[in-house]
Amino acid sequence: MALHRLLRASAWPLNRLREGYGLQDLPSLASARIHGLSPRVWEERLNDWETSHQVEVARSTPRTLFLEITGHCPLVCLMCARRYRNWDYGDLDVAVFERLVRVFPRVGMVVLGGFGEPLVAEHFDELFERLSSLGARVALQTSGYQLTEERADRLVASGLQDLHISIDSPEEATYASIRPRIDLSDVTSRVRQISRRKREAGSDHPAIHVVFVAMRRNIEQLPQMVDLAADMGADNLTVQYMVVHGEELRQESLFYHQQLTNRMLDTAEERAQGIGLSVELPERFGASRPEAAGRCTDPWQVMFVRWNGDVHPCCYAPSSVVMGDLSESGFWRVWNGSAYRELRRRVNTSDPPAFCRSCTAGRVCGVNDERAHVVLAAPE
């Protein structure tokens, strides 16, 4: 028994090193272990401290790492920026994945998503299984395209933590006008299947988040969307304002329909409370913003990795804002490189980078500013 405990003790630091911790982390990790804290909790607390103190060089890893395993997408959705930009697309560079292998277990959540549809990636299933085997917590952002019955069952069985699935209308015609080339009934069937498999397994995972991109053509359907989400067994309905990238869609922006939008948000919130569905709603138009609303935490908590290795600081930054290239550099060299350090120094000051001043998340310009809703694509 004593030998067994000794072997387990000697394996502990080696396991931590395999998970991407450095030698300098081991003393505080050991102290946390003595106090009954897991490495995951230690990482979360360290990140909270570094975020609150706005340190320039981070020891903790992002709480959310977006991994674009493909840039390809067969859909041409109404709100997608791809319709207006001539970007290059491909599948994730294997070298980029390998540079992140030792970091994945430390990251709070690895989100398979981006500008492409993850489920069309040539090696989606293999990459998902590899991430799970590494001990990573994995979430999936998808339109539901190519989410087959077999794949849905495999995702549940393999430990998918969160499913973020986009459904922008409870009505077939409206849904088809927003997301062509995909059938609403197919998507809702998969959500019901996953919800059923969770119940059968007695599991809370994956948590099902239905994502609704709100625009003029669907905002009056939002209360019915609450009903559909609850009926499918979703855990949450998240509503986001559409960002307009083309002049011909300007009037779809709810910035120009503020009273209607506020009324529909209030109605949806009341309905969700009545049936017990969790909802995340955007700020109402005209509401005063709390002082903390302008504080950005993404430079300490988020990393967005494109299929080609380019790293962006968040989902809202323009494609020209690149913090580093993981096809050439390791994770820590990028995460604490000069670009990230400068962003951490400036993001919450009176002189943030230019792209932060027109952030479409509204952290700087706010929901009542047109710039948060209309970001027209520049000619290329």
Side-chain angles (χ1 to χ4, degrees), residues 212-270:
F212 181 96
V213 179
M215 60 194 80
R216 178 61 188 92
R217 73 180 60 191
N218 67 5
I219 188 61
E220 293 180 80
Q221 300 171 2
L222 181 56
Q224 289 72 41
M225 192 66 226
V226 171
D227 294 336
L228 176 60
D231 186 64
M232 291 188 298
D235 296 280
N236 168 271
L237 173 65
T238 298
V239 180
Q240 303 170 345
Y241 289 135
M242 174 185 182
V243 176
V244 172
H245 298 288
E247 183 63 47
E248 76 280 7
L249 294 176
R250 182 181 289 271
Q251 285 305 311
E252 287 287 352
S253 170
L254 293 175
F255 178 79
Y256 307 110
H257 311 279
Q258 297 186 12
Q259 291 184 350
L260 171 65
T261 300
N262 286 352
R263 190 166 67 250
M264 289 298 102
L265 291 174
D266 289 343
T267 301
E269 186 170 47
E270 292 174 4

Side-chain angles (χ1 to χ4, degrees), residues 85 87 115 245 298 302 304 306 311-323 343 353-356 358-361 363 375:
R85 292 172 171 85
W87 291 330
F115 293 107
H245 298 288
D298 282 3
V302 174
F304 190 103
R306 295 293 310 279
V311 173
H312 302 290
C314 60
C315 303
Y316 310 101
S319 58
S320 58
V321 179
V322 179
M323 313 302 284
L343 178 59
F355 71 89
C356 294
S358 58
C359 176
T360 58
R363 292 192 176 98
V375 184

Side-chain angles (χ1 to χ4, degrees), residues 56 323 333-343 345:
E56 185 178 324
M323 313 302 284
R333 182 167 293 183
V334 174
W335 184 231
N336 284 320
S338 58
Y340 259 111
R341 294 200 309 273
E342 181 181 7
L343 178 59
R345 283 197 302 269

Side-chain angles (χ1 to χ4, degrees), residues 179-197:
R179 296 186 183 271
R181 305 180 187 176
I182 185 170
D183 188 82
L184 174 61
S185 62
D186 288 343
V187 178
T188 57
S189 294
R190 293 292 79 74
V191 175
R192 295 180 194 279
Q193 174 190 345
I194 291 172
S195 178
R196 186 171 59 252
R197 292 289 184 267

Side-chain angles (χ1 to χ4, degrees), residues 72-99:
H72 296 297
C73 182
L75 307 181
V76 187
C77 297
L78 186 71
M79 67 295 252
C80 187
R82 298 163 60 100
R83 300 175 64 211
Y84 305 95
R85 292 172 171 85
N86 296 319
W87 291 330
D88 293 328
Y89 302 110
D91 282 352
L92 181 70
D93 188 333
V94 175
V96 172
F97 187 92
E98 292 301 326
R99 287 185 183 275

Side-chain angles (χ1 to χ4, degrees), residues 104-258:
F104 286 138
R106 290 187 59 176
V107 170
M109 186 74 72
V110 179
V111 181
L112 302 180
F115 293 107
E117 168 51 65
L119 293 175
V120 306
E122 183 178 0
H123 301 295
F124 171 84
D125 296 304
E126 294 91 330
L127 290 176
F128 177 77
E129 294 293 342
R130 179 92 184 278
L131 284 167
S132 298
S133 69
L134 289 168
R137 291 166 55 84
V138 185
L140 172 65
Q141 289 181 332
T142 179
S143 65
Y145 188 82
Q146 290 196 11
L147 183 57
T148 63
E149 292 185 25
E150 296 78 12
R151 181 172 268 168
D153 282 346
R154 190 158 57 246
L155 289 173
V156 176
S158 299
L160 181 70
Q161 292 292 300
D162 290 276
L163 172 68
H164 301 264
I165 190 159
S166 297
I167 305 177
D168 308 300
S169 173
E171 299 181 2
E172 287 276 4
T174 305
Y175 178 88
S177 73
I178 299 171
R179 296 186 183 271
R181 305 180 187 176
I182 185 170
D183 188 82
L184 174 61
S185 62
D186 288 343
V187 178
T188 57
S189 294
R190 293 292 79 74
V191 175
R192 295 180 194 279
Q193 174 190 345
I194 291 172
S195 178
R196 186 171 59 252
R197 292 289 184 267
K198 282 174 54 180
R199 292 195 303 271
E200 292 170 353
S203 173
D204 294 329
H205 299 293
I208 302 172
H209 308 270
V210 174
V211 181
F212 181 96
V213 179
M215 60 194 80
R216 178 61 188 92
R217 73 180 60 191
N218 67 5
I219 188 61
E220 293 180 80
Q221 300 171 2
L222 181 56
Q224 289 72 41
M225 192 66 226
V226 171
D227 294 336
L228 176 60
D231 186 64
M232 291 188 298
D235 296 280
N236 168 271
L237 173 65
T238 298
V239 180
Q240 303 170 345
Y241 289 135
M242 174 185 182
V243 176
V244 172
H245 298 288
E247 183 63 47
E248 76 280 7
L249 294 176
R250 182 181 289 271
Q251 285 305 311
E252 287 287 352
S253 170
L254 293 175
F255 178 79
Y256 307 110
H257 311 279
Q258 297 186 12

